[in-house]
Amino acid sequence: MRNKSKAAGGRLAVVLAVVAGLMAVAGQAAADEMKPIRIGVLTDLGGVTADATGKGSVEAARLAVEDMGGKVAGRPVEVISADHQHKTDLGSSIAREWFDQAGVDVIVDVPNSAVALAVQEIAREKKKMVLFSGAGTPALTGKSCSPYGVHWTYDTYALSRGTAGAVVKAGGDSWFMIASDYAFGHQLARDAAAVVTGAGGQVVGEVFHPLATPDFSSYLLQAQASGAKVVGIANAGGDTINTIKQAGEFGLVAGGQKLAALILMLSDIHGLGLQAAQGTYLTTPSYWDVDDRARALSKRYMERVGAMPGMLQAGVYGEVLHYLKAVDAVGGTDADAVSAKMRALPIDDPYSRNARLREDGRVVRDMYLARVKAPAESKGPWDYLDIVATIPGDQLVWPLSESACPLVAK
């Protein structure tokens, strides 16, 4: 009898251990289900592109979360942010810490091409999603493409084809390039030069300047002396503002040269003022005033930020919204499942027109060729752009048949 009692006690202990284990697993699963979905906005909070990204990108992400009800797949959604200061090592460190320790499921924005390329490699290694609005290098969906990376808003290829193509067609067939001396500036200058020469024009010279340059006099004097009809400005943020302001002071436009800003943000125009920026052509994937839907969302944004959203902040809203729709559809944050669903779902947000996500991670979208209004044409605050034409998205992306992305079937 004693042996039978011992055996029964042993079996009971095993059963209790199994039940305890199952309860622990169930408890952990329940805890995982309640863990917040965490979105990390890796941006520029105090540098040359802070006005075009920065706190505006953070608020744009929060607006997208609110428009999904604050919860997705039964889990709350949180937004955190950090400043990479345009430093690749710092951006990489933040990304690793977010993925490894902070529970971040997706990183968004990343306005610096060098930082973006580094973060994309970390996201690939960790099998986490990263959505780029602020970065411009086509390499993100070219040779460095990743199944977990989405290039949402623009790249240098798109903007150069839109703006340079229009200016050359209007007779601006000789160019001098002033570009920032990092990956983004070099790529933008190369892409614009390819458009200019492909249309029968020529690039007579180019110079590259450090990030956050306060004095552009030497570069502008070289551009002036070149005799080029067009001075192509291939930089961003505060550098673009300083280049255009100082070009006016040196009399480039008064002397007959045209300025072509290859990337010009709404915040740049606001900083310059219409008097200085008027007549400048640019290509933009979005504009706050195109229709009632865009105006309504932009008004909410304006109430929080004190400015209308530029294209990069509008892009953060769209990419976060689309990501959360995919998470909701698959019921979780598994990067492989979410990535596939993002490619399958239609893109629908107030700032995107005829948009779709390709297999290489590039969002193909219609963009606008716009002209900065003269002061007399503006009807009020932030009424800065006249939409000249809509450019079909297929004309603004690198053809898949020529893609170096290994995800693209040949």
Side-chain angles (χ1 to χ4, degrees), residues 44-269:
D44 172 9
L45 293 169
V48 295
T49 57
D51 288 341
T53 58
K55 68 175 185 178
S57 290
V58 178
E59 289 304 322
R62 288 175 177 152
L63 281 169
V65 171
E66 289 175 17
D67 288 348
M68 288 294 292
K71 264 191 169 186
V72 173
R75 294 165 57 186
V77 183
E78 295 180 356
V79 175
I80 65 173
S81 62
D83 186 350
H84 60 46
Q85 299 177 29
H86 293 277
K87 297 176 180 176
T88 303
D89 56 348
L90 178 59
S92 298
S93 176
I94 293 168
R96 286 190 182 278
E97 192 276 331
W98 274 358
F99 286 147
D100 291 342
Q101 300 175 41
V104 167
D105 297 290
V106 59
I107 291 175
V108 304
D109 199 12
V110 202
N112 180 295
S113 291
V115 177
L117 287 166
V119 170
Q120 176 142 287
E121 289 310 305
I122 294 167
R124 186 203 309 272
E125 172 193 334
K126 305 293 182 182
K127 292 191 175 180
K128 296 282 190 175
M129 295 296 297
V130 56
L131 316 176
F132 302 104
S133 183
T137 175
L140 289 166
T141 53
K143 62 182 180 180
S144 299
C145 72
S146 164
Y148 309 115
V150 173
H151 204 172
W152 186 267
T153 304
Y154 82 105
D155 61 21
T156 57
Y157 183 86
L159 297 191
S160 60
R161 285 185 70 82
T163 304
V167 172
V168 173
K169 185 182 283 188
D173 56 4
S174 63
W175 286 57
F176 186 96
M177 300 287 185
I178 298 176
S180 50
D181 194 11
Y182 66 108
F184 167 82
H186 282 267
Q187 186 69 58
L188 187 54
R190 279 197 302 272
D191 288 343
V195 174
V196 171
T197 56
Q202 60 177 328
V203 177
V204 300
E206 62 182 12
V207 289
F208 295 90
H209 65 83
L211 192 66
T213 294
D215 183 3
F216 284 85
S217 58
S218 65
Y219 311 115
L220 290 166
L221 287 172
Q222 290 179 64
Q224 197 171 40
S226 74
K229 294 178 183 178
V230 181
V231 178
I233 301 169
N235 51 26
D239 285 333
T240 303
I241 292 173
N242 283 335
T243 306
I244 294 175
K245 275 185 177 178
Q246 292 174 37
E249 293 166 5
F250 278 87
L252 270 69
V253 175
Q257 290 178 298
K258 293 180 179 179
L259 302 181
L262 297 171
I263 177 168
L264 188 63
M265 306 292 181
L266 197 66
S267 56
D268 300 336
I269 300 168

Side-chain angles (χ1 to χ4, degrees), residues 362-381:
R362 182 74 171 92
V363 170
V364 183
R365 63 174 71 247
D366 290 353
M367 296 191 185
Y368 305 111
L369 177 65
R371 179 185 59 84
V372 179
K373 291 182 175 182
E377 296 175 301
S378 177
K379 297 181 177 67

